[in-house]
Amino acid sequence: MKRFYPHFLNSMNWVLAGLLTLLGFSCSDSDDDGGGQVEEYGCPHANYEIKGKVVNRQNNPIPNIQIAISDSVPDRQMPSDTIYTDAKGEFLWETGEFPGATFKLITTDIDKDKNGGQFVADTSFVSFKNAVYENGSGWYKGKAKQEVTITMSEQINTEE
């Protein structure tokens, strides 16, 4: 009995491995004639580009503004990304995310008076819910672009 049991287990392992191998190959679609259904595994995704400008109330560009970008869904904590406006007050941010994403942009004046005044922090949202995607196929929906202008208010000093 002691010799039979290890041989039985070894034989069953070979049989099960062979069956699982056959099932794995039979589930995949390697039909090259284009008539079969292509199986895709993964998650739909798209590339996003947010191009923008940060200006004051007089429509003058504000350089060196920090923009913290994060996912706007409260339960799903996407790590935030931080970018800065250039000398012309412009910024560009690109990412890949689930189609239909909405991003929260928090603008903060980090260098105070060096950019022409002190500005109040502001929060904006950029939604790609009804975006037009370019060059997508399959799970990849393509690339969507949006341009935004964020207007920041100058901080009013009440000190005398």
Side-chain angles (χ1 to χ4, degrees), residues 52-55 60-65 84-91 111 114-116:
K53 190 171 191 174
V54 178
V55 297
N60 296 324
I62 309 172
N64 301 321
I65 294 293
Y84 300 89
T85 59
D86 62 11
K88 298 177 185 176
E90 297 174 348
F91 65 91
D111 65 1
K114 292 179 186 174
N115 56 14

Side-chain angles (χ1 to χ4, degrees), residues 3-19:
R3 288 187 185 172
F4 176 73
Y5 190 67
H7 290 298
F8 176 73
L9 284 179
N10 196 19
S11 299
M12 289 307 293
N13 283 341
W14 278 100
V15 169
L16 287 174
L19 284 173

Side-chain angles (χ1 to χ4, degrees), residues 28-42:
S28 68
D29 182 16
S30 60
D31 188 12
D32 292 334
D33 66 359
Q37 179 179 354
V38 176
E39 302 296 330
E40 294 185 38
Y41 301 98

Side-chain angles (χ1 to χ4, degrees), residues 38-97:
V38 176
E39 302 296 330
E40 294 185 38
Y41 301 98
C43 182
H45 70 281
N47 288 343
Y48 297 107
E49 179 182 288
I50 299 174
K51 183 178 182 180
K53 190 171 191 174
V54 178
V55 297
N56 62 13
R57 296 268 181 210
Q58 292 78 30
N59 210 24
N60 296 324
I62 309 172
N64 301 321
I65 294 293
Q66 175 181 304
I67 304 169
I69 303 173
S70 63
D71 194 346
S72 69
V73 178
D75 296 338
R76 191 177 62 184
Q77 293 298 320
M78 178 184 111
S80 65
D81 199 2
T82 303
I83 58 174
Y84 300 89
T85 59
D86 62 11
K88 298 177 185 176
E90 297 174 348
F91 65 91
L92 175 67
W93 183 70
E94 296 178 309
T95 190
E97 183 65 42

